Amino acid sequence: VDSVLVGDKAVQAEASALLADHFLPTDRLEAELNTVVFRTGDKVVLIDVGAGDSFGPTGGRQAAVLAAAGLKPADVTTIFITHAHGDHFGGYLGADGKPVYANAELVISEKEHAFWTQDKAPVEALQKMLDGAKKNFAAAGDRVRLIKPGSEIAPGITAVEAYGHTPGHCQVRVDSGKESLLVTGDTANHPVLFLRHPEWGFGFDGDKPAAAATRKKTLEAAAADRMRILAYHFPYPGIGRVRKLASGGFEFVAEPMKL
Ligand SMILES: [Zn+2]
């Protein structure tokens, strides 16, 4: 836990107590990979493509899961990448080195794309991920579409600025009739720790103060609007709402799954 939660002894002790209180292991943080697909008009839109084979044997099953839902890779028209970390973008290429979703345009924020296509990573620890992202963009060729936050990814699906986790990290807002959903990407990466303490530092947040500010703003708004959210790393399927606690911080209330 202390490698992904940045904080002094008091923070670590409170985190352990919170995890134990929620019947969670205290020696590690578990993270799932909740990608999502939307149909809108004639578009089939994926938000993130999972980890591919870079996150162990259970991290790269997106295409198989889509097949079970009756969708072939060729049916996907649009992919939006919230940010270019390997657990969100690593599944872009198949074992043959070609895009898994051959017909899909690859949409990403201009700022995120600029960061991950630099000659050299600003810190050595990011070099491997930068190389991987560049390989993906090169394979996508002219299918890459760069957008600014606030732009439409597809009808009813809009990118929302949520910088901090990475320089161009975006959330995705989906509106359909009276319903809406905010796909939060990596705004908050643990359903207990970073909701109870949005100000705590997450090890993989590139700019920790900016990420914490985005997290706080998102949670405040989601709680005030009783907005449905889908969080990438929360327990499957990561859908629920956020409640503000009188004692400080927030609580994630998972929505019952309808199968
Ligand atoms: Zn992630």
Side-chain angles (χ1 to χ4, degrees), residues 185-210:
D186 278 8
T187 301
N189 278 333
H190 193 276
V192 176
L193 301 187
F194 297 106
L195 268 72
R196 198 60 70 87
H197 285 285
E199 78 284 7
W200 278 356
F202 178 59
F204 297 107
D205 283 341
D207 178 339
K208 289 174 185 57

Side-chain angles (χ1 to χ4, degrees), residues 106-139:
L106 177 63
V107 188
I108 190 162
S109 87
E110 213 169 68
K111 216 174 160 189
E112 186 69 6
H113 179 267
F115 182 81
W116 295 102
T117 49
Q118 296 177 83
D119 285 342
K120 220 172 147 339
V123 284
E124 178 55 36
L126 293 178
Q127 189 62 47
K128 218 177 135 201
M129 214 178 297
L130 186 130
D131 292 341
K134 273 187 177 171
K135 210 170 137 193
N136 290 353
F137 289 126

Side-chain angles (χ1 to χ4, degrees), residues 33 55 83 85 87-88 165 185-186 189 232-233:
L33 308 171
F55 252 59
H83 64 295
H85 279 168
D87 53 324
H88 299 253
H165 179 65
D186 278 8
N189 278 333
Y232 194 73
H233 291 299

Side-chain angles (χ1 to χ4, degrees), residues 71-77 100-104:
L71 283 168
K72 295 187 290 295
D75 297 335
V76 177
T77 62
V100 174
Y101 307 101
N103 299 330

